[in-house]
Amino acid sequence: MTPSSPSPHDTAAAPVAAPDAGDGPSAPPAVLGPLRSWLAVVAVGMGVFAFTTTEMVPIGLLPAMSRDLGVSEGTVGLSVTLYGAIAGLFAPVLTVATRRLDRRLLLLLVLTVFVVGNAFTALSSSYPVLMASRLLTGFAHGVMWSIAASIAIRLVAPEKSVRATAVVFSGISIASVAGVPFGTFVGGLSGWRTAFWAIAAVGVLILVAAAVLLPPLAPRAVLRLAELPRLLRDGNLRIATLVTAAMVTGHFAAYTYVAPFLEQDAGIPAHWVSALLLLYGVAGVAGNFAGGAAAARALRATTLTCILLLAAAVVLLVANGSWHPGTVILLLVWGVAYTALPVCLQTLVFASAPKAPEAATSLYICAFNVSIALGAMVGGWFVDASGPSAVMFLGAGFSVLAALLMTRYRVAESR
């Protein structure tokens, strides 16, 4: 995956692979050997998989958790909403607070908190205990997302940086396809607590793998909290953050309500919806790696293409009506386009702030997670007011806004 020479309107991703060179010692990839390097990257990606699984798995366990804890399903649902809010809002603060820690040690600490948090969730005897355990894990989640990609690109050669980022973010897609359905299945068989025990056990395996495979990784940049706003003075980083906010808001405004759209407006039988969403997730795994390969050669063009593909897919879903083959194809296009975007956006962030990749990523994660909640909330207003098709146009509108913002991204500023 050797990036091609960038045009005046594009960029390859290789320059972002070695931010802050010389700011702190780290073991170069050659010391690890290629096999161990990539196994270490996979271990980091599995950490992202585990965190994404535990974030979303309560959605499939809400009825059982509600009955067991004696609260409404909506109240239990706050364990997902507040988890994401905590992860996003506190990511910048916690990333700066841990700036002097060796990144391997920090990753191990984060994974330890993950295991403990899920164990306490499984042991929860009341709703307040459940929420305390979920918020504890949410704090760790924000740090994990801030450091995962920046750790991965330090484990491989510079020209492999985007591929490493794609491997890390494949954990999100794989969690959607396998992790969350498996957790829901286990919960259905043996109870929701067993599902969280299983997730904690997976966390232990990942913790051991990370401890064995990762070398010491000294922090490369020391940034104070007061300096975070200064990062946004960089035009490219500001644009990358705004593109993320618009894109994620639009996607979750539409995708949160895709099931009622498929049933009510596309005429898909209810028992087909889960299978279609599984296909969406499978397409997402492919989109994640395809997007990474394309971004390594033409980052700006790939990002724009994915945004516009998503916008077109959601609009055409409405225009398609109840023709089922068209619905399936467009849903797959949506899955491919959206899941390629985290790799593209993360790489944009790295390219925009090469001297402070983790701090910049923490701002990106903040925008990402807050936009998830905003998109779901605004989408809910539109669904209630005008029905599921209206929310598809809303998602497309935000995507077009993201594309317009992306046209202002300038390659020269990121160098």
Side-chain angles (χ1 to χ4, degrees):
M1 183 183 295
T2 303
S4 60
S5 300
S7 71
H9 300 292
D10 227 321
T11 183
V16 307
D20 304 312
D23 288 350
S26 65
V31 173
L32 294 181
L35 177 60
R36 183 178 167 188
S37 294
W38 282 107
L39 288 175
V41 171
V42 169
V44 178
M46 289 303 297
V48 172
F49 160 83
F51 271 101
T52 304
T53 299
T54 203
E55 178 182 17
M56 304 305 297
V57 78
I59 292 174
L61 303 173
L62 285 182
M65 296 174 72
S66 170
R67 289 191 298 269
D68 193 12
L69 297 172
V71 295
S72 70
E73 292 183 9
T75 302
V76 176
L78 289 175
S79 68
V80 178
T81 305
L82 293 181
Y83 179 106
I86 288 292
L89 292 174
F90 283 88
V93 177
L94 293 175
T95 301
V96 171
T98 56
R99 65 192 182 277
R100 298 184 186 278
L101 286 180
D102 178 278
R103 304 338 261 169
R104 174 182 179 273
L105 174 60
L106 179 57
L107 177 64
L108 298 181
L109 289 173
V110 164
L111 289 170
T112 300
V113 173
F114 172 86
V115 172
V116 172
N118 279 282
F120 273 112
T121 298
L123 292 169
S124 297
S125 57
S126 65
Y127 180 72
V129 175
L130 170 73
M131 290 303 295
S133 67
R134 292 287 292 170
L135 295 182
L136 173 66
T137 314
F139 284 121
H141 188 121
V143 178
M144 179 68 186
W145 271 53
S146 295
I147 65 174
S150 63
I151 287 175
I153 65 173
R154 293 177 64 181
L155 296 170
V156 299
E159 65 272 14
K160 305 295 184 183
S161 62
V162 181
R163 183 181 297 176
T165 303
V167 170
V168 166
F169 282 109
S170 71
I172 301 172
S173 303
I174 295 172
S176 301
V177 174
V180 174
F182 177 75
T184 304
F185 175 73
V186 170
L189 285 181
S190 305
W192 68 270
R193 298 178 189 276
T194 304
F196 282 99
W197 279 122
I199 293 169
V202 170
V204 171
L205 295 177
I206 297 169
L207 174 61
V208 172
V212 170
L213 294 169
L214 267 72
L217 295 167
R220 285 182 161 184
V222 178
L223 189 73
R224 290 182 291 275
L225 186 60
E227 296 173 347
L228 278 176
R230 297 179 192 172
L231 287 176
L232 291 175
R233 294 178 184 174
D234 178 272
N236 270 1
L237 180 58
R238 187 167 60 250
I239 290 168
T241 305
L242 290 172
V243 169
T244 299
M247 191 66 255
V248 174
T249 299
H251 168 75
F252 279 93
Y255 185 71
T256 302
Y257 305 98
V258 70
F261 169 81
L262 291 173
E263 291 184 27
Q264 298 171 27
D265 294 3
I268 300 294
H271 61 277
W272 286 12
V273 170
S274 59
L276 284 181
L277 295 182
L278 178 62
L279 286 176
Y280 173 98
V282 172
V285 176
N288 180 86
F289 288 103
R297 294 167 173 79
L299 175 57
R300 184 170 176 268
T302 300
T303 306
L304 268 171
T305 299
C306 291
I307 292 171
L308 293 174
L309 271 177
L310 193 156
V314 295
V315 169
L316 290 174
L317 273 170
V318 179
N320 176 74
S322 58
W323 187 51
H324 292 174
T327 299
V328 173
I329 292 170
L330 291 168
L331 197 64
L332 294 180
V333 172
W334 186 355
V336 169
Y338 175 71
T339 51
L341 282 168
V343 180
C344 296
L345 294 171
Q346 177 69 83
T347 307
L348 285 174
V349 168
F350 281 157
S352 302
K355 294 184 178 180
E358 290 179 1
T361 298
S362 71
L363 295 173
Y364 160 68
I365 295 304
C366 181
F368 199 106
N369 281 275
V370 170
S371 297
I372 290 174
L374 179 62
M377 180 179 67
V378 175
W381 294 340
F382 269 69
V383 165
D384 290 343
S386 305
S389 288
V391 84
M392 295 295 153
F393 289 114
L394 176 66
F398 273 104
S399 299
V400 171
L401 173 61
L404 291 173
L405 289 167
M406 191 62 214
T407 61
R408 298 184 61 83
Y409 187 92
R410 293 292 176 259
V411 174
E413 294 180 18
S414 67
R415 299 287 178 123

